Each structure stands twice: as structure tokens, then as C-alpha cells.
Amino acid sequence: MPETIQPHILVVDDDPQIRALLEEYLTDNQLRVSVVAGGQHMSQILADEAIDLVILDLRLAGEDGMAIARTLRDEADRVMGLELGADDYLTKPFSPRELLARIRTVLRRTKGAALSQARERKVRAYRFAEFELNLRTRRLKQIDGRSIDLTNGEFNLLAALLAAPQRVLTRDQLLEGSRVHDNEVYDRSIDVQVARLRPKIEVDPSHPQFIVTERGVGYTFNCAVEVLY
């Protein structure tokens, strides 16, 4: 079974009991967790690791938690939304179960937003292997010029995969990344679209090299992708 990439959560809190509680609880709920007591150690972790979400205590001893939050927004560009640069907040004391629910919501929202950044950056096309997907004409071509017909659903799914190559993407993330005009899409439709798309780009759809299944999670686009602007 392929190894599942767990979201990496960084907890910044000067209370050792809270750090221990969150590390144990979030780890038990299939999240990778790092814990630090303050901003200096947080910066070291951010320099060395790809962090998906930061849980930050705004009342750190001897430090300005609000300034740290602004640093996350301005320098790392990792957190979006509220004025401080945070996506959500909870007051202490808090329920670990509620915190976990908030974490999952933020991760789902931010990952889906990352998949749609191609439109914001005005990406013109993606190239992979012998294929080119033109986002303006919504056409998939091979390098020999031959066109490959795609349905709207297949095009949207392929564009979402190409926007985040070589990353494990959940079905929720792919649904968000491939959604257009607020159409109602269901979780299992991702599997259906994958099954229809594979024969159009894979040499052997029964042993896919591009769209790889991550069991119990979603899919990975397992190929280098060139972005054309």
C-alpha cells in the first residue's frame, strides 16, 4: 500500500501540558505534529519543514503572538483570511475535538484554494510527458499535434491534478479544485472521472503511471509538470 502523506501541523504554545495534549491527540488522529514553545523555534521549523497549518497561542510568554501571526502572513505567506493572518481561532479552554474539526476544515479549504491558483496566476497551459493541456482552449494535445477529446469533467480533473503534481490529493481537494460554476459534485464522481481519463493518457490504464491511486486517500499525479504562462 502506498505511504500516505499526512498533513504536518506545527503547534506553538508555551504551555508544556497543552503541547503534550495536542501532540498526542492530533497524532492519534492521523496528523503529523511538531511542537515548539515560541517564535524562535517556530522559525527554525518553518525553515526546514513544509508546514500545512500552524496552531499559534497569541499569548506566548515574553513574545507578541499577534506579531508572530503577522510574520506568518507577510513573510511565509502560509496563512490567509482574517486580519491577523489567521484562518480561524479558538479561545482557551478549548475542546481538542473541536480544534481537530477546525483543523480539517481549514486544511480542506486551503488545499482546495491551492489547486485553483492556476487560474489566478493566468496559467496558459501545462506540459507533461508528451502531452500539453491548454487551459484557454480547454484542449489536450500530444506533441505530434493529435487532439484528445475530454469531457468537461475530465478536463477539470486533469487541470486540478496538474496544478499540484506529485502530491497526494484527497477526493475532497480534487472536488474543490475541479469544481466549476458551483456545480454539485459527489465524492465518488472523482473515481468515475479518473476511470474515464486514464485510458486517454495512460499507456496501460490497468497499471497507471500518471494518475496513481493512494488507497483510502485519493490520487497523485506522478509526473513532472511544466507550467506555461
Side-chain angles (χ1 to χ4, degrees), residues 68-93:
I68 293 174
R70 285 191 290 270
T71 298
L72 282 171
R73 179 195 62 195
D74 297 335
E75 295 184 5
D77 194 26
R78 294 170 184 269
V79 190
M80 303 176 296
L82 304 181
E83 186 175 349
L84 282 178
D87 276 285
D88 205 342
Y89 69 92
L90 281 175
T91 57
K92 293 181 178 179

PDB file of all heavy atoms in Angstrom, residues 68-93:
ATOM      1  N   ILE A  68       3.823  37.590  15.662  1.00  0.00           N
ATOM      2  CA  ILE A  68       4.217  36.328  15.035  1.00  0.00           C
ATOM      3  C   ILE A  68       3.206  35.938  13.964  1.00  0.00           C
ATOM      4  O   ILE A  68       3.567  35.474  12.878  1.00  0.00           O
ATOM      5  CB  ILE A  68       4.357  35.225  16.104  1.00  0.00           C
ATOM      6  CG1 ILE A  68       5.532  35.527  17.030  1.00  0.00           C
ATOM      7  CG2 ILE A  68       4.546  33.859  15.445  1.00  0.00           C
ATOM      8  CD1 ILE A  68       5.663  34.568  18.192  1.00  0.00           C
ATOM      9  N   ALA A  69       1.919  36.133  14.257  1.00  0.00           N
ATOM     10  CA  ALA A  69       0.876  35.809  13.285  1.00  0.00           C
ATOM     11  C   ALA A  69       1.037  36.654  12.022  1.00  0.00           C
ATOM     12  O   ALA A  69       0.886  36.158  10.905  1.00  0.00           O
ATOM     13  CB  ALA A  69      -0.508  36.030  13.891  1.00  0.00           C
ATOM     14  N   ARG A  70       1.366  37.944  12.207  1.00  0.00           N
ATOM     15  CA  ARG A  70       1.567  38.802  11.043  1.00  0.00           C
ATOM     16  C   ARG A  70       2.797  38.370  10.253  1.00  0.00           C
ATOM     17  O   ARG A  70       2.832  38.465   9.023  1.00  0.00           O
ATOM     18  CB  ARG A  70       1.676  40.262  11.479  1.00  0.00           C
ATOM     19  CG  ARG A  70       0.336  40.888  11.861  1.00  0.00           C
ATOM     20  CD  ARG A  70       0.455  42.393  12.023  1.00  0.00           C
ATOM     21  NE  ARG A  70       1.226  42.742  13.204  1.00  0.00           N
ATOM     22  CZ  ARG A  70       0.689  42.937  14.406  1.00  0.00           C
ATOM     23  NH1 ARG A  70      -0.611  42.806  14.581  1.00  0.00           N
ATOM     24  NH2 ARG A  70       1.442  43.254  15.433  1.00  0.00           N
ATOM     25  N   THR A  71       3.816  37.887  10.961  1.00  0.00           N
ATOM     26  CA  THR A  71       5.021  37.393  10.283  1.00  0.00           C
ATOM     27  C   THR A  71       4.682  36.184   9.422  1.00  0.00           C
ATOM     28  O   THR A  71       5.160  36.058   8.294  1.00  0.00           O
ATOM     29  CB  THR A  71       6.101  37.019  11.313  1.00  0.00           C
ATOM     30  OG1 THR A  71       6.472  38.181  12.049  1.00  0.00           O
ATOM     31  CG2 THR A  71       7.328  36.441  10.618  1.00  0.00           C
ATOM     32  N   LEU A  72       3.862  35.305   9.949  1.00  0.00           N
ATOM     33  CA  LEU A  72       3.425  34.144   9.170  1.00  0.00           C
ATOM     34  C   LEU A  72       2.741  34.585   7.891  1.00  0.00           C
ATOM     35  O   LEU A  72       2.972  34.033   6.822  1.00  0.00           O
ATOM     36  CB  LEU A  72       2.464  33.288   9.996  1.00  0.00           C
ATOM     37  CG  LEU A  72       3.069  32.376  11.045  1.00  0.00           C
ATOM     38  CD1 LEU A  72       1.958  31.779  11.899  1.00  0.00           C
ATOM     39  CD2 LEU A  72       3.890  31.274  10.402  1.00  0.00           C
ATOM     40  N   ARG A  73       1.908  35.594   7.988  1.00  0.00           N
ATOM     41  CA  ARG A  73       1.163  36.068   6.818  1.00  0.00           C
ATOM     42  C   ARG A  73       2.072  36.779   5.832  1.00  0.00           C
ATOM     43  O   ARG A  73       2.056  36.504   4.635  1.00  0.00           O
ATOM     44  CB  ARG A  73       0.055  37.023   7.260  1.00  0.00           C
ATOM     45  CG  ARG A  73      -0.763  37.606   6.104  1.00  0.00           C
ATOM     46  CD  ARG A  73      -1.566  38.800   6.574  1.00  0.00           C
ATOM     47  NE  ARG A  73      -0.675  39.861   7.041  1.00  0.00           N
ATOM     48  CZ  ARG A  73      -1.076  40.893   7.765  1.00  0.00           C
ATOM     49  NH1 ARG A  73      -2.326  40.992   8.135  1.00  0.00           N
ATOM     50  NH2 ARG A  73      -0.216  41.821   8.154  1.00  0.00           N
ATOM     51  N   ASP A  74       2.905  37.688   6.341  1.00  0.00           N
ATOM     52  CA  ASP A  74       3.670  38.562   5.457  1.00  0.00           C
ATOM     53  C   ASP A  74       4.888  37.866   4.848  1.00  0.00           C
ATOM     54  O   ASP A  74       5.183  38.046   3.666  1.00  0.00           O
ATOM     55  CB  ASP A  74       4.123  39.806   6.215  1.00  0.00           C
ATOM     56  CG  ASP A  74       2.955  40.638   6.692  1.00  0.00           C
ATOM     57  OD1 ASP A  74       1.889  40.543   6.064  1.00  0.00           O
ATOM     58  OD2 ASP A  74       3.100  41.370   7.683  1.00  0.00           O
ATOM     59  N   GLU A  75       5.615  37.093   5.653  1.00  0.00           N
ATOM     60  CA  GLU A  75       6.868  36.520   5.185  1.00  0.00           C
ATOM     61  C   GLU A  75       6.685  35.121   4.608  1.00  0.00           C
ATOM     62  O   GLU A  75       7.223  34.810   3.548  1.00  0.00           O
ATOM     63  CB  GLU A  75       7.891  36.479   6.324  1.00  0.00           C
ATOM     64  CG  GLU A  75       8.299  37.874   6.799  1.00  0.00           C
ATOM     65  CD  GLU A  75       9.376  37.814   7.841  1.00  0.00           C
ATOM     66  OE1 GLU A  75       9.866  36.694   8.120  1.00  0.00           O
ATOM     67  OE2 GLU A  75       9.733  38.866   8.387  1.00  0.00           O
ATOM     68  N   ALA A  76       5.934  34.276   5.300  1.00  0.00           N
ATOM     69  CA  ALA A  76       5.791  32.902   4.834  1.00  0.00           C
ATOM     70  C   ALA A  76       4.643  32.737   3.858  1.00  0.00           C
ATOM     71  O   ALA A  76       4.607  31.794   3.085  1.00  0.00           O
ATOM     72  CB  ALA A  76       5.594  31.964   6.032  1.00  0.00           C
ATOM     73  N   ASP A  77       3.673  33.660   3.901  1.00  0.00           N
ATOM     74  CA  ASP A  77       2.508  33.597   3.012  1.00  0.00           C
ATOM     75  C   ASP A  77       1.820  32.244   3.125  1.00  0.00           C
ATOM     76  O   ASP A  77       1.357  31.661   2.157  1.00  0.00           O
ATOM     77  CB  ASP A  77       2.906  33.854   1.556  1.00  0.00           C
ATOM     78  CG  ASP A  77       1.677  34.133   0.690  1.00  0.00           C
ATOM     79  OD1 ASP A  77       0.658  34.598   1.236  1.00  0.00           O
ATOM     80  OD2 ASP A  77       1.730  33.849  -0.517  1.00  0.00           O
ATOM     81  N   ARG A  78       1.739  31.735   4.371  1.00  0.00           N
ATOM     82  CA  ARG A  78       1.165  30.415   4.590  1.00  0.00           C
ATOM     83  C   ARG A  78      -0.260  30.489   5.112  1.00  0.00           C
ATOM     84  O   ARG A  78      -0.956  29.493   5.131  1.00  0.00           O
ATOM     85  CB  ARG A  78       2.008  29.630   5.614  1.00  0.00           C
ATOM     86  CG  ARG A  78       3.400  29.315   5.108  1.00  0.00           C
ATOM     87  CD  ARG A  78       4.243  28.762   6.237  1.00  0.00           C
ATOM     88  NE  ARG A  78       5.605  28.543   5.784  1.00  0.00           N
ATOM     89  CZ  ARG A  78       6.049  27.422   5.281  1.00  0.00           C
ATOM     90  NH1 ARG A  78       5.239  26.396   5.159  1.00  0.00           N
ATOM     91  NH2 ARG A  78       7.295  27.291   4.883  1.00  0.00           N
ATOM     92  N   VAL A  79      -0.658  31.640   5.635  1.00  0.00           N
ATOM     93  CA  VAL A  79      -1.950  31.737   6.288  1.00  0.00           C
ATOM     94  C   VAL A  79      -2.735  32.871   5.664  1.00  0.00           C
ATOM     95  O   VAL A  79      -2.202  33.944   5.448  1.00  0.00           O
ATOM     96  CB  VAL A  79      -1.790  31.994   7.805  1.00  0.00           C
ATOM     97  CG1 VAL A  79      -3.117  31.848   8.528  1.00  0.00           C
ATOM     98  CG2 VAL A  79      -0.774  31.046   8.404  1.00  0.00           C
ATOM     99  N   MET A  80      -3.998  32.644   5.362  1.00  0.00           N
ATOM    100  CA  MET A  80      -4.810  33.653   4.704  1.00  0.00           C
ATOM    101  C   MET A  80      -6.106  33.846   5.487  1.00  0.00           C
ATOM    102  O   MET A  80      -6.507  32.982   6.250  1.00  0.00           O
ATOM    103  CB  MET A  80      -5.141  33.223   3.274  1.00  0.00           C
ATOM    104  CG  MET A  80      -3.931  32.925   2.410  1.00  0.00           C
ATOM    105  SD  MET A  80      -4.399  32.321   0.791  1.00  0.00           S
ATOM    106  CE  MET A  80      -5.195  30.778   1.223  1.00  0.00           C
ATOM    107  N   GLY A  81      -6.776  34.976   5.280  1.00  0.00           N
ATOM    108  CA  GLY A  81      -8.128  35.098   5.803  1.00  0.00           C
ATOM    109  C   GLY A  81      -8.328  36.254   6.731  1.00  0.00           C
ATOM    110  O   GLY A  81      -8.549  37.372   6.291  1.00  0.00           O
ATOM    111  N   LEU A  82      -8.248  36.043   8.039  1.00  0.00           N
ATOM    112  CA  LEU A  82      -8.581  37.075   8.991  1.00  0.00           C
ATOM    113  C   LEU A  82      -7.516  38.164   9.016  1.00  0.00           C
ATOM    114  O   LEU A  82      -6.421  38.014   8.490  1.00  0.00           O
ATOM    115  CB  LEU A  82      -8.738  36.466  10.391  1.00  0.00           C
ATOM    116  CG  LEU A  82      -9.764  35.326  10.494  1.00  0.00           C
ATOM    117  CD1 LEU A  82      -9.861  34.825  11.924  1.00  0.00           C
ATOM    118  CD2 LEU A  82     -11.133  35.786  10.029  1.00  0.00           C
ATOM    119  N   GLU A  83      -7.820  39.276   9.658  1.00  0.00           N
ATOM    120  CA  GLU A  83      -6.942  40.440   9.633  1.00  0.00           C
ATOM    121  C   GLU A  83      -5.553  40.124  10.174  1.00  0.00           C
ATOM    122  O   GLU A  83      -4.543  40.642   9.706  1.00  0.00           O
ATOM    123  CB  GLU A  83      -7.574  41.580  10.442  1.00  0.00           C
ATOM    124  CG  GLU A  83      -6.802  42.888  10.359  1.00  0.00           C
ATOM    125  CD  GLU A  83      -7.533  43.986  11.081  1.00  0.00           C
ATOM    126  OE1 GLU A  83      -8.688  43.802  11.447  1.00  0.00           O
ATOM    127  OE2 GLU A  83      -6.903  45.042  11.271  1.00  0.00           O
ATOM    128  N   LEU A  84      -5.469  39.266  11.186  1.00  0.00           N
ATOM    129  CA  LEU A  84      -4.180  38.921  11.764  1.00  0.00           C
ATOM    130  C   LEU A  84      -3.379  37.980  10.880  1.00  0.00           C
ATOM    131  O   LEU A  84      -2.219  37.734  11.133  1.00  0.00           O
ATOM    132  CB  LEU A  84      -4.371  38.244  13.135  1.00  0.00           C
ATOM    133  CG  LEU A  84      -4.678  39.151  14.311  1.00  0.00           C
ATOM    134  CD1 LEU A  84      -4.872  38.303  15.563  1.00  0.00           C
ATOM    135  CD2 LEU A  84      -3.552  40.147  14.542  1.00  0.00           C
ATOM    136  N   GLY A  85      -3.988  37.445   9.861  1.00  0.00           N
ATOM    137  CA  GLY A  85      -3.314  36.452   9.046  1.00  0.00           C
ATOM    138  C   GLY A  85      -3.692  35.050   9.444  1.00  0.00           C
ATOM    139  O   GLY A  85      -3.014  34.096   9.090  1.00  0.00           O
ATOM    140  N   ALA A  86      -4.769  34.886  10.190  1.00  0.00           N
ATOM    141  CA  ALA A  86      -5.201  33.564  10.641  1.00  0.00           C
ATOM    142  C   ALA A  86      -6.460  33.145   9.895  1.00  0.00           C
ATOM    143  O   ALA A  86      -7.229  33.968   9.434  1.00  0.00           O
ATOM    144  CB  ALA A  86      -5.481  33.584  12.148  1.00  0.00           C
ATOM    145  N   ASP A  87      -6.640  31.831   9.789  1.00  0.00           N
ATOM    146  CA  ASP A  87      -7.842  31.300   9.156  1.00  0.00           C
ATOM    147  C   ASP A  87      -8.966  31.111  10.154  1.00  0.00           C
ATOM    148  O   ASP A  87     -10.134  31.120   9.781  1.00  0.00           O
ATOM    149  CB  ASP A  87      -7.530  29.939   8.516  1.00  0.00           C
ATOM    150  CG  ASP A  87      -6.932  30.104   7.136  1.00  0.00           C
ATOM    151  OD1 ASP A  87      -7.684  30.419   6.221  1.00  0.00           O
ATOM    152  OD2 ASP A  87      -5.719  29.920   6.989  1.00  0.00           O
ATOM    153  N   ASP A  88      -8.639  30.896  11.408  1.00  0.00           N
ATOM    154  CA  ASP A  88      -9.657  30.592  12.413  1.00  0.00           C
ATOM    155  C   ASP A  88      -9.027  30.798  13.781  1.00  0.00           C
ATOM    156  O   ASP A  88      -7.800  30.933  13.909  1.00  0.00           O
ATOM    157  CB  ASP A  88     -10.132  29.146  12.255  1.00  0.00           C
ATOM    158  CG  ASP A  88     -11.542  28.942  12.795  1.00  0.00           C
ATOM    159  OD1 ASP A  88     -12.012  29.803  13.572  1.00  0.00           O
ATOM    160  OD2 ASP A  88     -12.165  27.934  12.448  1.00  0.00           O
ATOM    161  N   TYR A  89      -9.854  30.826  14.815  1.00  0.00           N
ATOM    162  CA  TYR A  89      -9.308  30.951  16.166  1.00  0.00           C
ATOM    163  C   TYR A  89     -10.243  30.295  17.159  1.00  0.00           C
ATOM    164  O   TYR A  89     -11.448  30.142  16.919  1.00  0.00           O
ATOM    165  CB  TYR A  89      -9.087  32.424  16.534  1.00  0.00           C
ATOM    166  CG  TYR A  89     -10.368  33.216  16.709  1.00  0.00           C
ATOM    167  CD1 TYR A  89     -10.967  33.348  17.954  1.00  0.00           C
ATOM    168  CD2 TYR A  89     -10.974  33.834  15.617  1.00  0.00           C
ATOM    169  CE1 TYR A  89     -12.141  34.066  18.109  1.00  0.00           C
ATOM    170  CE2 TYR A  89     -12.137  34.550  15.759  1.00  0.00           C
ATOM    171  CZ  TYR A  89     -12.721  34.672  17.001  1.00  0.00           C
ATOM    172  OH  TYR A  89     -13.889  35.377  17.153  1.00  0.00           O
ATOM    173  N   LEU A  90      -9.652  29.882  18.293  1.00  0.00           N
ATOM    174  CA  LEU A  90     -10.393  29.327  19.412  1.00  0.00           C
ATOM    175  C   LEU A  90      -9.890  29.984  20.686  1.00  0.00           C
ATOM    176  O   LEU A  90      -8.699  30.307  20.796  1.00  0.00           O
ATOM    177  CB  LEU A  90     -10.178  27.814  19.522  1.00  0.00           C
ATOM    178  CG  LEU A  90     -10.965  26.897  18.590  1.00  0.00           C
ATOM    179  CD1 LEU A  90     -10.497  25.456  18.778  1.00  0.00           C
ATOM    180  CD2 LEU A  90     -12.456  27.002  18.864  1.00  0.00           C
ATOM    181  N   THR A  91     -10.771  30.180  21.645  1.00  0.00           N
ATOM    182  CA  THR A  91     -10.351  30.698  22.935  1.00  0.00           C
ATOM    183  C   THR A  91     -10.112  29.538  23.896  1.00  0.00           C
ATOM    184  O   THR A  91     -10.730  28.478  23.785  1.00  0.00           O
ATOM    185  CB  THR A  91     -11.424  31.632  23.526  1.00  0.00           C
ATOM    186  OG1 THR A  91     -12.663  30.918  23.628  1.00  0.00           O
ATOM    187  CG2 THR A  91     -11.612  32.850  22.630  1.00  0.00           C
ATOM    188  N   LYS A  92      -9.192  29.726  24.822  1.00  0.00           N
ATOM    189  CA  LYS A  92      -8.917  28.719  25.843  1.00  0.00           C
ATOM    190  C   LYS A  92      -9.882  28.903  27.006  1.00  0.00           C
ATOM    191  O   LYS A  92     -10.226  30.029  27.349  1.00  0.00           O
ATOM    192  CB  LYS A  92      -7.475  28.858  26.352  1.00  0.00           C
ATOM    193  CG  LYS A  92      -6.416  28.518  25.320  1.00  0.00           C
ATOM    194  CD  LYS A  92      -5.022  28.655  25.931  1.00  0.00           C
ATOM    195  CE  LYS A  92      -3.943  28.267  24.931  1.00  0.00           C
ATOM    196  NZ  LYS A  92      -2.590  28.408  25.502  1.00  0.00           N
ATOM    197  N   PRO A  93     -10.283  27.810  27.653  1.00  0.00           N
ATOM    198  CA  PRO A  93     -10.011  26.406  27.326  1.00  0.00           C
ATOM    199  C   PRO A  93     -10.821  25.977  26.093  1.00  0.00           C
ATOM    200  O   PRO A  93     -11.881  26.525  25.820  1.00  0.00           O
ATOM    201  CB  PRO A  93     -10.479  25.660  28.569  1.00  0.00           C
ATOM    202  CG  PRO A  93     -11.547  26.521  29.143  1.00  0.00           C
ATOM    203  CD  PRO A  93     -11.121  27.939  28.854  1.00  0.00           C
TER     204      PRO A  93
END
